[in-house]
Amino acid sequence: LVELLSENFNPHLYSLSKSQVEKVCALRDIVSTYITSKQDPSGSKVSDPKSAVSLIGDKLRYIEHEEVWVAYLNKNNEVIALEMLCSGTLTQVNIGHRDIIAKALSKDATGIILYHNHPSGNIQPSRDDNELTKNLRDACKVMNVRFLDHIIVAGDKYYSYNDEGL
């Protein structure tokens, strides 16, 4: 299933006919839609980094390019929305703290959790990750939005700035 859902799945490597390739692609779309619909976290409560990671589910685990997602929370740490903000390349994604704050304010969110993935499998934050985290933390303070965590996902592992005391 993981290979089927991979964006780099190549059905031609399996000597499939054109009809079978179309069926595999249709099945991939159906399964992806089903998984996404079952993972709607609206109303879920976040109490710690582990519960924050469970919100993102498998959305970031196995994709082969970087994506940035944000969970928008109310004052009780219940999820208002979980959205992908941008998609990047294998090694980087460009997002500014202004875009994140603007979205949070437009949703009347009082808290946010930032997520992104490292397709390389290395969960250690880069210098750019650390800079974004610092800038976003500072901007959130000014705008009175709680910045609860920045979580980096890589396969089945994750790095939580909150867990690291950062």
Side-chain angles (χ1 to χ4, degrees):
L1 182 60
V2 170
E3 186 175 349
L4 174 67
L5 293 177
S6 168
E7 52 189 61
N8 289 335
F9 176 71
N10 186 350
H12 302 290
L13 294 177
Y14 297 92
S15 301
L16 300 176
S17 69
K18 183 178 180 184
S19 173
Q20 289 171 320
V21 168
E22 290 171 356
K23 289 176 185 173
V24 167
C25 290
L27 179 60
R28 181 178 51 207
D29 292 344
I30 290 168
V31 169
S32 181
T33 300
Y34 175 77
I35 289 171
T36 301
S37 71
K38 291 296 183 190
Q39 294 178 342
D40 180 12
S42 296
S44 299
K45 188 163 183 153
V46 177
S47 57
D48 56 26
K50 191 170 185 164
S51 63
V53 171
S54 71
L55 288 179
I56 202 73
D58 290 331
K59 290 176 176 60
L60 291 175
R61 291 188 198 283
Y62 304 109
I63 57 175
E64 297 176 3
H65 62 274
E66 287 199 17
E67 288 184 358
V68 172
W69 288 68
V70 177
Y72 303 97
L73 308 167
N74 66 19
K75 67 180 179 176
N76 297 318
N77 286 354
E78 296 168 337
V79 177
I80 297 169
L82 176 66
E83 293 181 352
M84 181 180 67
L85 286 188
C86 65
S87 181
T89 67
L90 177 66
T91 58
Q92 71 178 21
V93 64
N94 293 319
I95 184 76
H97 61 279
R98 291 171 48 97
D99 299 324
I100 297 167
I101 294 292
K103 277 272 204 181
L105 294 174
S106 75
K107 294 183 177 304
D108 292 328
T110 59
I112 61 168
I113 300 170
L114 179 68
Y115 302 89
H116 84 279
N117 64 312
H118 283 176
S120 68
N122 179 2
I123 61 169
Q124 292 304 309
S126 68
R127 187 176 327 137
D128 289 341
D129 295 337
N130 291 334
E131 186 176 329
L132 172 62
T133 302
K134 180 192 176 306
N135 290 340
L136 184 55
R137 183 188 66 228
D138 293 346
C140 282
K141 281 181 187 174
V142 169
M143 299 308 293
N144 200 26
V145 173
R146 294 170 299 126
F147 182 35
L148 301 174
D149 208 344
H150 178 180
I151 296 174
I152 300 170
V153 177
D156 292 330
K157 302 175 288 188
Y158 71 90
Y159 178 96
S160 162
Y161 278 78
N162 192 342
D163 275 352
E164 298 299 321
L166 303 172

